C-alpha cells in the first residue's frame, strides 16, 4: 500500500477504471496534454490516447451535454469541470437532463455520467475559484453528490461513482489535493456512495462535516479531547442521498449536534441535516442543533485578510464545539 | 419538382408511396389529437402539421435501426418513420402506463425509445442537440457507422447549446445532422426578431460545416439534401447543418391562440403550400398513386387512428404510487 | 378598489411602474404581441411600444445577461422567463453575475433587475412545466427570492421588487394566476420584501407556507378550527432573505412548527426554516419540527393520477396538522 | 505597414506616440507583476503580454468617456486606455482596499469602474458579452450614441453566451463591437481543438453582422478595422465581430506552465512578431520617435511602475470584517 496524496488517488482511480472498462473516457478543458490544470488527469493522454482523453472546447453546457449523449449511447464519461464555479453554465444539462432521464423514461434510459470538479477556498482563488456549490444540487432527486475527504475515499468513491448507473457529481476540495496524504491501495476497491464514515467515536457532542472542514474538525476534536470533551465526528462523504439512519443515530448518541461546513450557512447542507435531526430524533436532543458555516456573502474574497475571515479554521471550530458541549 | 425526380434520387415507387403514407398517418394522428383535446380527453398536445414533409424527407435518408435520433416535440412524422406505432403515440397522448416514451410521465411530444434508437428529450429546447453530438462521439469511439440526426426549431437555434454542440461536432468532424425545421415562428416571435441575419444555415460555416437551406415543403428536396449530408457523415467528413423552410399550419400547441400574432391570410397562403397536398399531387402527377389510391390510404389510415385511440384510451394509467419509482436504479444494475 | 385576479395584479404593477419610471422595461419570449403565454404582459406593447416591451430570441442566458447589462447601464429591466423550469440556462448569469455584482465591486456597481417566472404544478404541465425552483436560489446571498400568494401581494411585492436596488427573483405560482381573486388597489402601494404575513392567528400549532400551498393550508386550518385546533398560519412571502425574527416568534408562540411546500422535501425551503427554528428557539419547542412537502422525485409527472399523488392538498395538509397538534 | 499609414488613417504623431506609450506601460506593468508574483508578494496574475497591440489599436478607435467597455481578464492595456491608472492596477494586484475594481475582492484582471465606463466582470468567461449587448440596448433606448466594446478570447467564443449575445445584437442592430483576441490557445487547448472551422470571424454572418479577421499584432490595422466597426455602430448599422490574431507570449497565468503544451520554438517565433517591437520599429522608421525617445519613454515608464508598486504595496488591505459588507444595499438607496 502506497502513500499518495488526494489528487494522485483521483488519477489512480481514473487510470484503473479506464484500463478495466473500455467505455470509460475523460473529457474536459485542458485534461489532455496539460493533464488538467490541477494535474488530475496527468499521464492519461499518454496511456489512453486522444480518443479517450478529450480536450474539449471551452463550453461547459456542451461538455456535460455531450457526456450525457455519450452515456445514452453506451459510454461511461467522466467529465471534468475545471473549477466547480464554472459548472453553472451546465446546470440546465445537469438538472433538466441528467437528473431526470431515468425518471422521465420510466427507466428506459439512464444516465451514468460522472462530473468531477474541484471546489472550495483558502487558496487565494477569490470569488470564482473558491466556491462550494454542492448545496445547489442536493435538492435535486436523481443526482448523487459525493465529497471525499481523504485520499483513500477519493479513490474508492470515484470508482463507485464511475460504476454507478446514475449521474454522480464528484466534488474534490482543491485544498485537499496536495495537503492530504494517506494510504491508498494500488488495486481495485470501492467505498460505497450514500454511507457516512465515523472519523472519531465520542460521547459528548456529535459533529457532522465533509471535505476540508472535516480535517479542521478532526484537529479541533483533538484539542477538545485534551480538555475532556469527547467529540463524535461524522464525515458525511455523500451529500445526496444522505445516509439518514447513520446521521440520526450519531445525533441521538450524544443528543448534541453541530454541522460544520465551509459553504455559506443559509440553506446550505447543514440546513437539511439539522432539519432531518429535528424532525426525526427531536426527543433525543439536549441542545439546539448548531451550524458553523461560512458567512452569508456571495463568495470568498481574494484579499488575504478577508479570505481568512471567511474561512473556518481549527480555532473557530473548537470554540463552537465548546459552546455546544457547554449545554 | 421534376416529374421523375424521385427516380433520379434512386427512390422506388414503393418508397415514395411509403413516405406519403407516413405523412398522411402523421397528419391524421395529429388532427385526431386536436379533436381529443377539444373534447377534453387529453390535456395537451403539440402539433406537427406542416412539418410532415421535412420530417419524412429527412427520415427517409437515414438507416432506421442503425442511425439515432434526438428529436424535438414536433417530430411526430419523424418518430413514426423510426418505428413508433400510432398506438404508442396515442398511449403517450393519454398518459398511459404503457406509453413507451415515458410511461405517462412526460407530455406528449417528448419522444424516447431505446428500442427504436430515439434518445429521450426534455422540454427545455436545445438540450438534445448536445446529446446528439455525444451519441455520435460514442459511436465514433466504438468504430460504428451510426449517423445521428437531431431536430430543433429555428427559435431553438438561438440557444447557446446549439452553438456549443455544432462547434463540438465541427471540431471533431462527428457524424451529426443538425436538422433545423424553420417554421418562421418561435411561438409568436417571428423570424426577424429571433435570428440575426435571418438564416440558421448561414451559421454552418462558423463551425466549419456546410449549412444548407432547403424548401422543407418539398419532400424530395429535403430527402436529397439530407441524403448528401448522411453520406458525408458516414464517410467521416463531418456534420452538416440543414435548414428546412416550412410553416406550422396550426397554433403552437393546444394552449396557444395564433390569431394574436399571425394573419389569417398568411396561414391560408401557407396552407396552399402544405407539403402533404404537394406531395400527394406530385405522386398523382407522376403516376405513382391515383386519387383512388390516396383515398383508400386515407380510409385505411383513419381506421388505424381509430384503433390506436381505442386501444390507448382503454389502457390503464400508471399507478399513483409509481410516482416514487425510477428516481435511481432500484438495484446496482449492470450497466 | 377593484377585484382582480393574481395575474391581473401582476400586469397592473408592470403597467403602473412603466408609467412611473421610464427606465423600467420588460423583455422575454412572447411578451410582446402575444402578451406573454400566460398574458401577464397583455396590453403593454400597445401602451409602451416595442422599445420597452421586447420580444427576445429564445435564449434565457441571453435574456438575463442582456437584462444585467442594461441594468449596469442605468435601466430597470423586468425579464420574464416563460416557465421557471427554463431559468436553468440562465443560472450562470443569475448566480455568477447578478448575485455577485454589488459584492465583487464593493458597491461600485449594483444590479437592479427583476426576473419574473411562473412556477408550480397541478396544471398538467408534466416535468418541465410544473417545477418549483425557488430552493435553487435561496442559498445564494445577493439574491432576493419572492413568492406572493395573493393578488394584493403580487402587485405590492412586484412594485417593491422593481424598486429594489438588488436582483429579485419573482416567482408566480401559475395555478394562482386565475384561481385567486382579491381586492387590489388601483394606485401605487408596496408590500415590503423580507417580511412574512400572518394569515391566521392561532395558538396550537404554527404552519409556514407560501404560494399555492398557503391556500390549501388556509382551507385545512379552517377544517381544524371546527375540530377545536387553532392554527397560526404564516405566509413566508419572501424566501430570501427570510424574515428570521417573525419566523422565530411564530414558532415560539405555539411550540409546534410545520412547514408545508409543494417543492420536494429534501433540502427544500423547509430545511432552512426548520434548521433556523431548531437552532434559535429550540427550548421553546414542544414537538419535532415537521415538514410536509412534495415527494423526493425529479419532477411532477404528467399523468393525472400521478400528478394528484404528487401534489399536496387540503386533506393531506389537514392530516399532517392533526399529527402535529396531537403531540 | 506602409510608412505613412498612420497619417492615412487620420492619426497624428502625438496619437501614435501615445498608443505606443500605453503599450509600453502595459508591458512594463505586466512584467513587474510577474516579478512580484515570483517574489511571493502577490498570489496570482494573468498577463497581457502579446495582446497590447490589439488592445491599444482597438481602444484608440473608441471615445473614452462616451463608450463603454466589457473587458476580459487580459485587457490591461485596454483599461489603461480607458483611464485606469498604474497605481489602480497595482492596488488590484495587491488586493488593497483602494482597488477601484473590487476593493481587493476580485483577482487581478477583473476590471470594473463605473467612473471609467468599464462594466464589472466575473471570471466565468463569456458572461460579459451579453452584458455588452444589454448596455448597448440601454444606450439605444435613451437615444445615446454610445458604442460598447466587449473583449474575449477565441476559446470563450465557443461559449453559448457568445452566440446568444451576438444573435441578440444582430437582431436589434445594436452598437456593439465583439472583439475577439485570438491567441490560438485556451490555456493548453490549441485553436484546432477549440474552434470548428478555425475562424471566429466566420461566425459573424450567422448573426447578420460582418466578421473581420485582422492581424492583431499590427496596431494600425486593428485601429482601422475597429474604427470602421465603431463608425457602423455609431450610425445605427449594427454590430461587428472583429477577430484580432495574436499570441500570448507568456504562460496563461502565474499558475500555468506553458512548456507542457507549446514548443519553445513556437513561442520564440511569436516573440519575433511581438506587437510592441513591431510598432516601436515602425515609429522609428516613419520618424515619429527615435531610439532615444523610446529609451526615455521606457525609463519614464519604469519610474511610473516603481511608483505604482510602492504606493500600492503601502496601501492598507480591506478590514477583515468588511467581508460582510456589500451583499445587499445598506439602505434603500435611490437607484
Ligand atoms: C429553454 C426553453 N425556453 C422556453 C421554452 C418554451 N417554449 C417552448 S417551444 C418554444 C418556441 C420554440 O420555437 P422553435 O424552436 O422555432 O420551434 P417551433 O415550435 O417553432 O417548431 C418556446 C419558447 C422551452 N420549452 N425551453
Ligand atoms: C466558464 C468558464 N470556464 C472555464 C474557465 C477557466 N478558464 C479561464 S481562462 C480559460 C481559457 C480561456 O481561453 P481564451 O478564451 O482563448 O482566452 P485567453 O486566455 O487565451 O486569452 C479557461 C478555460 C473560466 N474562467 N470560465
Ligand atoms: Mg419555429
Ligand atoms: Mg485564447
Amino acid at each position: 500500500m502506497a502513500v499518495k496524496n488526494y489528487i494522485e488517488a483521483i488519477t489512480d482511480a481514473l487510470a484503473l477504471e479506464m484500463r478495466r472498462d473500455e467505455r470509460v473516457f475523460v473529457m474536459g478543458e485542458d485534461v489532455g496534454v496539460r493533464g488538467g490544470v490541477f494535474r488530475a488527469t496527468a499521464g492519461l493522454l499518454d496511456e489512453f490516447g486522444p480518443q479517450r482523453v478529450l480536450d474539449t472546447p471551452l463550453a461547459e453546457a456542451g461538455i456535460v451535454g455531450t457526456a450525457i449523449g455519450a452515456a445514452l449511447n453506451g459510454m461511461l464519461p467522466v467529465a471534468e469541470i475545471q473549477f466547480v464555479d464554472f459548472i453553472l453554465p451546465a446546470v440546465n444539462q445537469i438538472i433538466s437532463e441528467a437528473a431526470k432521464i431515468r425518471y422521465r423514461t420510466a427507466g428506459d434510459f439512464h444516465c451514468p455520467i460522472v462530473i468531477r470538479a474541484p471546489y472550495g477556498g483558502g487558496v487565494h482563488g477569490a470569488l470564482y475559484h473558491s466556491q462550494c456549490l454542492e448545496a445547489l444540487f442536493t435538492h435535486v432527486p436523481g443526482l448523487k453528490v459525493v465529497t471525499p475527504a481523504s485520499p483513500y475515499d477519493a479513490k474508492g468513491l470515484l470508482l463507485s461513482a464511475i460504476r454507478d448507473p446514475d449521474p454522480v457529481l464528484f466534488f474534490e476540495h482543491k485544498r485537499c489535493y496536495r495537503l492530504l496524504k494517506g494510504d491508498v491501495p494500488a488495486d481495485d476497491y470501492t467505498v460505497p456512495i450514500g454511507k457516512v464514515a465515523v472519523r472519531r467515536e465520542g460521547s459528548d457532542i456529535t459533529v457532522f462535516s465533509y471535505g476540508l472542514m472535516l480535517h479542521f474538525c478532526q484537529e479541533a476534536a483533538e484539542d477538545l479531547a485534551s480538555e475532556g470533551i469527547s467529540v463524535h465526528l461524522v464525515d458525511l462523504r455523500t451529500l445526496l442521498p444522505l445516509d439518514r439512519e447513520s446521521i440520526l443515530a450519531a445525533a441521538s448518541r450524544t443528543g448534541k449536534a453541530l454541522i460544520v461546513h465551509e459553504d455559506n450557512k443559509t440553506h446550505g447542507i447543514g440546513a437539511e441535516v439539522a432539519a432531518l435531526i429535528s424532525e426525526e430524533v427531536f426527543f433525543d436532543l439536549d441542545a439546539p442543533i448548531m451550524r458553523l458555516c461560512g458567512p452569508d456573502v456571495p463568495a470568498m474574497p481574494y484579499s488575504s485578510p478577508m479570505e481568512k475571515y471567511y474561512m473556518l479554521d481549527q480555532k473557530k471550530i473548537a470554540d463552537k464545539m465548546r459552546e455546544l458541549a457547554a449545554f | 419538382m421534376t416529374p421523375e425526380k424521385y427516380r433520379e434520387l434512386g427512390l422506388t415507387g414503393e418508397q415514395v408511396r411509403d413516405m406519403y403514407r407516413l405523412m398522411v398517418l402523421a397528419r391524421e394522428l395529429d388532427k385526431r389529437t386536436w379533436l381529443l383535446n377539444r373534447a377534453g380527453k387529453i390535456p395537451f398536445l403539440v402539433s406537427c402539421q406542416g412539418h410532415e414533409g421535412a420530417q419524412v424527407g429527412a427520415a427517409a435518408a437515414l438507416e432506421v435501426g442503425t442511425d439515432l435520433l434526438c428529436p424535438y416535440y414536433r417530430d411526430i412524422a419523424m418518430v413514426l418513420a423510426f418505428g413508433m406505432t400510432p398506438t404508442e403515440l396515442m398511449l403517450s397522448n393519454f398518459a398511459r402506463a404503457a406509453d413507451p416514451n415515458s410511461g405517462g410521465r412526460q407530455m406528449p411530444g417528448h419522444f424516447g425509445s431505446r428500442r427504436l434508437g430515439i434518445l429521450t428529450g426534455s422540454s427545455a429546447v436545445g438540450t438534445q442537440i448536445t446529446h446528439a453530438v455525444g451519441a455520435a462521439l460514442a459511436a465514433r469511439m466504438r468504430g460504428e457507422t451510426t449517423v445521428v440526426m437531431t431536430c430543433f426549431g429555428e427559435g431553438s437555434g438561438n440557444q447557446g447549446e446549439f452553438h456549443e454542440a455544432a462547434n463540438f461536432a465541427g471540431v471533431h468532424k462527428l457524424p451529426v445532422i443538425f436538422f433545423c425545421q424553420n417554421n418562421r415562428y418561435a411561438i409568436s416571435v417571428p423570424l426577424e426578431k429571433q435570428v440575426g441575419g435571418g438564416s440558421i444555415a448561414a451559421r454552418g460555416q462558423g463551425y466549419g460545416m456546410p449549412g444548407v437551406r432547403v424548401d422543407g415543403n418539398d419532400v424530395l428536396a429535403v430527402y436529397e439534401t439530407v441524403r448528401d449530408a448522411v453520406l458525408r457523415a458516414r464517410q467521416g467528413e463531418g456534420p452538416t447543418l440543414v435548414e428546412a423552410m416550412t410553416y406550422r399550419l396550426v397554433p403552437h400547441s393546444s394552449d396557444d391562440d395564433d390569431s394574436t400574432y399571425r394573419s389569417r391570410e398568411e396561414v391560408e397562403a401557407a396552407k396552399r403550400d402544405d407539403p402533404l397536398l404537394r406531395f400527394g399531387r406530385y405522386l398523382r402527377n407522376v403516376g405513382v398513386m391515383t386519387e383512388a389510391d390516396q383515398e383508400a390510404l386515407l380510409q385505411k389510415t383513419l381506421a388505424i387512428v381509430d384503433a390506436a385511440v381505442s386501444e390507448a384510451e382503454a389502457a390503464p394509467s400508471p399507478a399513483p404510487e409509481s410516482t416514487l419509482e425510477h428516481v435511481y436504479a432500484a438495484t446496482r444494475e449492470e450497466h
Side-chain angles (χ1 to χ4, degrees), chain B residues 51 72 74 153-155 181-187 194 248:
Chain B
H51 289 235
Y72 92 124
R74 269 190 222 297
E154 82 296 339
Q181 299 177 33
N182 183 342
N183 61 12
R184 293 159 47 193
Y185 287 90
I187 308 185
Q194 291 183 62
R248 152 168 67 70

Side-chain angles (χ1 to χ4, degrees), chain B residues 90-110:
Chain B
M90 282 296 165
L91 286 165
S92 164
N93 283 328
F94 281 99
R96 297 310 192 216
D99 156 31
N101 299 287
S102 77
R105 292 170 174 216
Q106 291 230 67
M107 284 179 157
H110 291 63

